[in-house]
Amino acid sequence: MAEFNGGGHWHLDAVFYQVYVRGFKDSSRDGNGDLRGLIEKLDYIESLGVSCLWLMPIFPSPLRDDGYDVSDFLEIDPSIGSLADFQQLTEAAHQRDLRVITDLVISHTSDQHHWFQKARQGPDSPFFSYYVWSDSDDRYQEAQVIFSDTEHSNWAWDHQAKRYYWHRFFSHQPDLNYDHLPVQEAILDVMRFWLDLGIDGFRVDAVPYLFEREGTNCENLPETHAFCRRMRRLIDGEYPGRILLAEANQWPDDLVAYFGAGDEFHMAFNFPLMPRLFLALRREDNRPLIDCIETLPAIPADCQWATFLRNHDELTLEMVTDADRDYLTSEYARDPRMMLNVGIRRRLAPLLDHDRRRIELLYSLLLSLPGAPVIYYGDEIGMGDNIYLGDRNGVRTPMQWSDDRNAGFSSADPSRLYKPVLTDPLDNYQTVNVAAQLRSPASLLHWLRHQLRLRSSQPVFSRGEIRFVQVSCRSIVAFTRSHRGTTALLVHNLAATVQPVHLELEAYAGLRPVHFSGNHGFPQIQAAPYFLNLAPYESLWFLLEPA
Ligand code: BGC
């Protein structure tokens, strides 16, 4: 196991598959997906061409925030399996060359965690200082309320402790007090526990909010970065080869700070890029994308972005201007039910009106722009959502494996399922499912597997420098990726109409674009603009080779 984890820098070339274990495959017929079910599906995951699983929280939890409300950091939720199942999963995954990371929720616990239960007993409890208490609810007024649709304050009254406690998310998720050193030690021990079990790293949840200081918005404080460096020292010193991936929904400068000087996180989600992919597509305009990538500060060597289109949360619109937020909301969330907090709670396919060309275009950008792509379970088959389920549950419905009972997800009685399968006319599991797409060579699933294979055949995609190519019309986004003498040219049409375009490729005069399909028929590049014609939403992937 140690040898497997030890393969350095694997995260640079990784492709992640995000799995909601409860929604993936039920092996025990209780209506909940579980670790054994996930093990059964490892062949499928391997066949996708991804290299690392990211498991959403698997710890015991009252499930008031789908496991992000942890009541015990050192166990597996019994509805999902056992520690033995977990070990079996990591071993089975490693045998297939797949790595496994899990969510690590460090900023808060559930109010059911025994730390909080004991802390509530008052200042004499050894756990009292594990949480942030106050006699009044007016401290840290500058801190934003994140779950603004549900919470009105970051303070909640505890009847037993007769004090207010601090929480950045739901009021049943009290924040841990990182000023209290035993909390830091306890969290480092939680990390060791899972790392000893063979885990390859963590997606660290809600990183910016670890400390509170009056007069600040209580995000990204220097003390928070100091603790991130402690986590990293633990990894480097005791578990080299494992990785830390930051969830920090922040503007570029604050976000890039989580890479530190290469001494904090190995990876961070590219939150600024994600909404701009949707913006560029809808506006048929390359500017939001190019501006975003060109203005992102450089990240240290051996660090990597994690890029994504969708995940288990709402499509957050915090990292765009007010005008762009209004535009994205009006274009992508036409029904108010589609909104939650500052985001859109929809899956990829419904966001794009189930338009296969637009889905492929966004995937093509995701796979060819810098970063390690993260694919959300079900989005590889264009699964739909259910906006009539509350909170973010509509994008967490059971994986659609086949047209069998409960979409092949579970053989429990349908009414026992943790959430209903999709049955509406557009997204129903009888039509949208893995088995059907495996049978159809033209399916989205086959297309995506093929693209992922192409991507992994060329290190330019994961390691190459990006350079945008000047184009004669703004609905085309064209760039090169170059690494160790190999250059790929990627051209995308963001428009719903056919687009003729001139590309300024003089720097590559004498080379010939060879399409990844093997087509050598494209003309050699000359010392004059290169002409291409792109179909609506078309993407072209070329290698530039000597003529
Ligand atoms: C997770 C959410 C969760 C929140 C509170 C986030 O950033 O992605 O799903 O509700 O943290 O833990």
Side-chain angles (χ1 to χ4, degrees):
M1 189 85 60
E3 274 166 40
F4 184 86
N5 295 125
H9 304 329
W10 58 268
H11 59 286
L12 298 180
D13 305 304
V15 179
F16 290 83
Y17 186 64
Q18 177 185 356
V19 183
Y20 175 47
V21 179
R22 189 170 309 282
F24 204 58
K25 174 70 188 168
D26 172 18
S27 74
S28 63
R29 311 183 61 177
D30 69 349
N32 288 296
D34 46 46
L35 293 171
R36 296 197 151 274
L38 176 54
I39 294 171
E40 281 173 32
K41 293 298 183 186
L42 282 178
D43 285 344
Y44 167 77
I45 294 172
E46 184 182 8
S47 77
L48 290 175
V50 299
S51 59
C52 185
L53 306 184
W54 152 28
L55 310 185
M56 287 164 61
I58 51 178
F59 318 106
S61 161
L63 297 179
R64 296 177 69 193
D65 184 13
D66 238 338
Y68 287 93
D69 46 337
V70 178
S71 56
D72 182 353
F73 285 113
L74 306 180
E75 259 300 344
I76 301 280
D77 194 85
S79 65
I80 280 177
S82 64
L83 284 170
D85 295 338
F86 179 74
Q87 266 182 301
Q88 209 178 319
L89 169 73
T90 46
E91 277 160 27
H94 288 171
Q95 276 161 15
R96 289 170 170 79
D97 247 354
L98 286 169
R99 288 174 160 90
V100 183
I101 67 169
T102 58
D103 254 292
L104 184 70
V105 187
I106 63 169
S107 81
H108 51 267
T109 67
S110 157
D111 59 6
Q112 300 306 305
H113 196 290
H114 75 95
W115 294 345
F116 190 71
Q117 289 300 319
K118 291 182 182 136
R120 304 173 74 184
Q121 291 163 6
D124 291 340
S125 161
F127 290 96
F128 181 76
S129 301
Y130 271 47
Y131 295 90
V132 183
W133 300 100
S134 172
D135 291 331
S136 69
D137 62 355
D138 54 7
R139 294 166 65 200
Y140 313 136
Q141 287 294 317
E142 288 167 46
Q144 170 211 357
V145 174
I146 298 168
F147 285 171
S148 52
D149 281 0
T150 329
E151 304 292 342
H152 303 293
S153 163
N154 288 320
W155 291 104
W157 176 254
D158 185 69
H159 291 285
Q160 199 179 334
K162 299 199 172 43
R163 287 173 172 81
Y164 293 96
Y165 61 88
W166 179 248
H167 62 88
R168 292 307 300 269
F169 294 92
F170 289 122
S171 57
H172 56 77
Q173 291 166 315
D175 270 34
L176 287 164
N177 174 18
Y178 276 80
D179 275 317
H180 186 53
L181 284 181
V183 165
Q184 299 195 14
E185 296 303 331
I187 292 297
L188 295 176
D189 281 345
V190 168
M191 290 173 63
R192 288 191 184 93
F193 177 85
W194 293 99
L195 292 162
D196 286 340
L197 286 177
I199 194 98
D200 298 287
F202 301 105
R203 178 251 190 206
V204 186
D205 186 63
V207 179
Y209 317 106
L210 303 187
F211 286 82
E212 302 74 37
R213 292 290 179 263
E214 209 54 75
T216 74
N217 66 356
C218 300
E219 297 181 21
N220 314 316
L221 295 174
E223 294 84 348
T224 295
H225 284 285
F227 182 69
C228 295
R229 288 192 291 277
R230 282 199 77 185
M231 293 197 290
R232 178 60 182 265
R233 280 200 296 277
L234 181 148
I235 297 281
D236 288 350
E238 301 171 40
Y239 304 93
R242 322 289 181 99
I243 62 132
L244 296 173
L245 162 58
E247 189 221 13
N249 187 5
Q250 299 290 327
W251 291 95
D253 288 340
D254 290 328
L255 174 57
V256 166
Y258 285 99
F259 293 110
D263 57 356
E264 293 191 30
F265 285 85
H266 303 81
M267 304 187 75
F269 287 103
N270 198 330
F271 276 102
L273 178 63
M274 181 276 294
R276 286 172 181 79
L277 288 164
F278 289 92
L279 191 60
L281 173 61
R282 202 67 187 184
R283 287 225 169 104
E284 304 191 351
D285 183 1
N286 61 24
R287 272 334 302 177
L289 245 175
I290 298 177
D291 288 349
C292 174
I293 291 180
E294 289 193 331
T295 55
L296 269 179
I299 62 176
D302 302 337
C303 287
Q304 180 64 295
W305 288 112
T307 47
F308 63 106
L309 298 172
R310 289 296 297 112
N311 62 21
H312 63 294
D313 286 328
E314 65 276 25
L315 188 168
T316 164
L317 299 176
E318 280 179 275
M319 292 309 122
V320 292
T321 61
D322 291 350
D324 287 345
R325 186 174 311 123
D326 288 347
Y327 177 76
L328 284 164
T329 305
S330 66
E331 292 300 316
Y332 285 107
R334 275 167 240 131
D335 182 329
R337 252 181 299 247
M338 295 170 181
M339 289 304 291
L340 180 72
N341 304 319
V342 192
I344 306 173
R345 49 190 205 108
R346 304 221 70 191
R347 268 190 181 265
L348 181 65
L351 275 168
L352 304 179
D353 300 326
H354 299 84
D355 182 340
R356 175 74 183 270
R357 300 167 307 168
R358 279 185 273 164
I359 297 173
E360 288 187 10
L361 177 73
L362 282 197
Y363 269 129
S364 176
L365 285 165
L366 182 79
L367 301 190
S368 59
L369 286 169
V374 184
I375 295 166
Y376 183 48
Y377 90 97
D379 279 353
E380 73 274 28
I381 55 169
M383 240 172 83
D385 53 34
N386 181 351
I387 57 168
Y388 299 96
L389 297 176
D391 200 354
R392 291 146 292 176
N393 295 319
V395 301
R396 303 179 188 179
T397 58
M399 178 68 178
Q400 295 171 190
W401 294 105
S402 68
D403 63 357
D404 293 342
R405 177 194 182 95
N406 300 326
F409 157 71
S410 167
S411 51
D413 282 344
S415 44
R416 274 194 84 178
L417 299 192
Y418 75 97
K419 287 287 172 304
V421 293
L422 299 185
T423 50
D424 83 38
L426 263 180
D427 298 316
N428 68 82
Y429 68 87
Q430 285 95 342
T431 318
V432 181
N433 64 64
V434 170
Q437 295 206 13
L438 284 175
R439 273 176 47 196
S440 162
S443 65
L444 177 64
L445 178 60
H446 276 294
W447 177 85
L448 186 60
R449 295 203 311 189
H450 178 70
Q451 276 332 92
L452 284 167
R453 268 197 300 277
L454 290 183
R455 183 183 188 278
S456 59
S457 70
Q458 272 300 340
V460 276
F461 288 109
S462 49
R463 309 234 174 181
E465 289 293 312
I466 186 166
R467 200 174 72 80
F468 285 99
V469 173
Q470 273 201 28
V471 288
S472 56
C473 72
R474 280 171 68 154
S475 55
I476 301 291
V477 55
F479 50 92
T480 54
R481 303 285 313 272
S482 306
H483 178 68
R484 295 199 175 151
T486 303
T487 297
L489 168 68
L490 300 310
V491 191
H492 299 88
N493 180 8
L494 301 165
T497 48
V498 66
Q499 294 292 325
V501 63
H502 283 104
L503 308 174
E504 301 292 331
L505 286 177
E506 288 76 0
Y508 304 101
L511 300 178
R512 182 190 296 280
V514 176
H515 190 261
F516 269 70
S517 62
N519 187 335
H520 284 73
F522 286 84
Q524 187 178 327
I525 300 167
Q526 310 289 341
Y530 192 81
F531 180 75
L532 282 175
N533 224 334
L534 277 89
Y537 302 124
E538 187 177 20
S539 300
L540 292 171
W541 287 18
F542 299 106
L543 277 180
L544 298 185
E545 293 188 349

